Amino acid sequence: MIANSISSNLPKENLVSRASVKFGTDGIRGNASNELTPALAMQAGFWLGTLLQKEGPVIIGRDSRESGSILSEAISAGVNSAGLEIWDIG
């Protein structure tokens, strides 16, 4: 199963225990330099992809901060590794 092979390659550290990273209706929030890392974004994208139905693309947007493109790429890689198509609308 693709989910098992991908999840075994994700970092084993407890990525979501960082108290200041927030998951909510406005997305994932945290300090991009030390809390909201590409590894966390990739893992969140993978688990999001496993929860969504396999119909249609996942649309990803971001604001204009410097960290936006790297985090968007990481979350896209995670969602894509779960087998879903990504549309990055910037």
Side-chain angles (χ1 to χ4, degrees):
M1 174 183 238
I2 192 168
N4 290 336
S5 66
I6 297 299
S7 63
S8 65
N9 292 327
L10 292 172
K12 301 298 184 225
E13 63 188 69
N14 188 356
L15 296 174
V16 293
S17 67
R18 297 177 175 118
S20 55
V21 173
K22 309 261 188 292
F23 294 81
T25 57
D26 293 334
I28 304 171
R29 300 202 174 261
N31 185 309
S33 63
N34 59 15
E35 298 164 347
L36 186 52
T37 64
L40 174 62
M42 184 174 162
Q43 189 174 53
F46 172 77
W47 292 115
L48 172 67
T50 62
L51 292 173
L52 296 174
Q53 293 181 6
K54 304 246 179 202
E55 295 179 19
V58 173
I59 300 171
I60 296 180
R62 62 182 176 276
D63 61 22
S64 61
R65 284 177 258 202
E66 252 182 75
S67 58
S69 62
I70 187 112
L71 292 173
S72 177
E73 288 177 27
I75 202 164
S76 295
V79 171
N80 194 263
S81 70
L84 298 177
E85 179 183 3
I86 298 294
W87 288 4
D88 187 338
I89 60 170

